[in-house]
């Protein structure tokens, strides 16, 4: 019988080594045992409902604040400056209050031991919204006083 590690005429580098196999033995120690059914961690954890609420409020608030700026030119041509002035003041106040609520809820949700991704995104969006509106009001006040 020929040695399996000696090259044969058809195989220049020799035959691959043959490893023993056992039909009913335990699995090889180098292969990790895998569960028969996958376990999804995301489905078993309840999440952070306060963070989700803060994210929802922050996203809606930022959307309303952004869309209102697109609607004002159309309202100027239809109803005049008086309508736009009142509407922009009301929308800005509502967006500022809702942004502050989302910011506070997001900060509270960040302090909880639950998952924090939605709460962190909510704090970022709401913080940017609040700072933008306060900055806009500060610039308008400066223009009025100058």
């Amino acid at each position: 019988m020929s040695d399996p590690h000696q090259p044969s005429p058809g195989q220049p580098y020799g035959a691959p080594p043959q490893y023993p196999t056992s039909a009913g033995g335990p699995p090889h120690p180098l292969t990790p045992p895998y569960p028969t059914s996958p376990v999804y961690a995301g489905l078993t954890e309840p999440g952070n409902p306060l963070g989700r609420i803060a994210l929802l409020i922050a996203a809606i608030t930022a959307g309303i604040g952004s869309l209102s700026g697109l609607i004002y030119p159309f309202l100027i041509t239809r109803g005049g400056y008086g309508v736009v002035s009142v509407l922009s003041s009301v929308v800005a106040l509502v967006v500022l209050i809702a942004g502050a609520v989302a910011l506070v809820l997001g900060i509270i949700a960040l302090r909880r031991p639950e998952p924090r991704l939605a709460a962190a995104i909510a704090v970022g969006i709401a913080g940017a919204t609040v700072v933008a509106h306060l900055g806009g009001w500060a610039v308008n006040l400066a223009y009025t006083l100058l």
Side-chain angles (χ1 to χ4, degrees):
M1 184 164 206
S2 67
D3 186 18
H5 297 291
Q6 295 295 325
S8 65
Q11 296 177 336
Y13 297 108
Q18 299 294 321
Y19 297 107
T21 60
S22 61
H28 194 271
L30 295 178
T31 60
Y34 293 107
T36 57
S37 64
V39 177
Y40 299 103
L43 298 177
T44 59
E45 295 179 6
N48 192 346
L50 191 59
R52 289 183 195 151
I53 292 171
L55 178 60
L56 183 66
I57 292 172
I60 290 172
T61 301
I64 289 173
S66 297
L67 289 178
S68 64
L70 296 174
I71 294 173
Y72 294 150
F74 297 111
L75 291 177
I76 289 173
T77 59
R78 300 282 182 191
Y81 291 108
V83 173
V84 173
S85 176
V86 171
L87 185 63
S88 67
S89 297
V90 170
V91 168
L93 185 63
V94 168
V95 166
L96 182 67
I97 291 171
V101 168
L103 183 62
V104 169
L105 287 177
I107 291 172
I108 291 171
L110 278 176
R111 297 181 58 88
R112 292 185 174 185
E114 298 166 343
R116 297 182 176 108
L117 180 63
I121 295 170
V123 167
I125 294 172
T129 301
V130 169
V131 167
H133 278 282
L134 288 178
W137 281 355
V139 168
N140 286 336
L141 180 64
Y143 283 150
T144 305
L145 295 177
L146 293 178

